[in-house]
Each structure stands twice: as structure tokens, then as C-alpha cells.
Amino acid sequence: MYKNISGIDIFWKYFPDKPWHYFHDILEFRWYKEFDYTEWCDRTYVELKMSDLNGLDIVLFKLIDASGEGIYKLNGWISGLDILNLRYGATWIEEQYELIDFEENNLHFYCNEIEIKVIAVNGKDI
């Protein structure tokens, strides 16, 4: 279901029993466009650097070809992240993934690709 996410193997290595909604705190947020010279088009990116409630486990989620409503309320935290693979559910829509706030509507993005980078585990940089 998530095998096409870049960096998912390393993520599961460090967090084998952690669900997506384990990550609550938004440490950094970037929404930007860059020109892709390979595909010869503009691409929209969203970068979410998030941590658990204690700030010990930190992960960077990079959304490629991102769209959506974005962040409604940026309080620095959400009730928890959820990543839905839309193609796995056979919805036949253009985007591959939907990222939402687990319980509330404070975050909502669609994207075609996700890259995950584990930055810290138990307070130690990776």
C-alpha cells in the first residue's frame, strides 16, 4: 500500500510499530514551486518536518506535485497525520496520496509522490 513511498523502508526500520498519527508537532512547513528540467514543467512541493509529542522522533515528509487546501490552522501541531493511498482504494483519481489531519481538518494535501527522511530517533540524529 505504501511501497512506492521513497524512504519507507528506513521509516519502518526505525518506527515499525508507529502509526502515521504518531506525528503531531509541525516543526517546519514549506510550500514552494521549482522548475523540473527533466519533465520540463513546474512542480509544487510541500515539506512537513514533524515530530512526536515529546519531540524525540523527527521525520521530514516531502510531497511532490502537491495540491489541496493546505493548512487551515497552523497552531504548530495537528491531532495526528494520516496518509491515504488513493490508488490502492481504486478511487480512480489523479493523485496518488492524500495527507490529512487524523481527527480534525487542520491539514489537507494531495500529492503524486512522497519522500520520507528520518531525521531523529529517540532524540538522536540519524
Side-chain angles (χ1 to χ4, degrees):
M1 187 163 165
Y2 299 111
K3 66 180 180 177
N4 293 329
I5 295 176
S6 177
I8 194 72
D9 294 335
I10 295 170
F11 178 86
W12 292 133
K13 174 184 169 188
Y14 288 109
F15 308 111
D17 59 343
K18 303 289 188 224
W20 296 119
H21 54 271
Y22 174 71
F23 297 96
H24 294 272
D25 290 339
I26 299 173
L27 305 175
E28 292 179 20
F29 170 76
R30 290 183 60 215
W31 190 337
Y32 61 96
K33 277 190 178 187
E34 283 186 355
F35 191 77
D36 183 339
Y37 289 97
T38 306
E39 297 292 325
W40 208 251
C41 64
D42 281 329
R43 290 193 183 243
T44 303
Y45 298 90
V46 170
E47 292 182 359
L48 285 167
K49 187 176 182 181
M50 301 185 71
S51 73
D52 65 322
L53 289 175
N54 297 320
L56 298 176
D57 297 329
I58 301 172
V59 176
L60 177 66
F61 297 92
K62 184 176 182 178
L63 317 180
I64 302 168
D65 291 330
S67 65
E69 291 85 12
I71 294 181
Y72 298 112
K73 292 191 305 185
L74 186 55
N75 299 330
W77 65 273
I78 58 174
S79 60
L81 182 69
D82 199 5
I83 300 175
L84 307 172
N85 186 327
L86 300 175
R87 299 234 171 122
Y88 184 77
T91 57
W92 305 108
I93 62 174
E94 298 271 330
E95 290 83 8
Q96 177 81 19
Y97 300 102
E98 182 178 19
L99 279 79
I100 56 175
D101 190 335
F102 180 65
E103 293 178 342
E104 300 181 28
N105 293 322
N106 294 330
L107 176 116
H108 190 205
F109 288 102
Y110 294 98
C111 65
N112 289 322
E113 297 176 49
I114 300 175
E115 295 177 0
I116 299 176
K117 181 178 180 186
V118 176
I119 297 174
V121 177
N122 292 325
K124 295 186 172 126
D125 290 344
I126 299 298

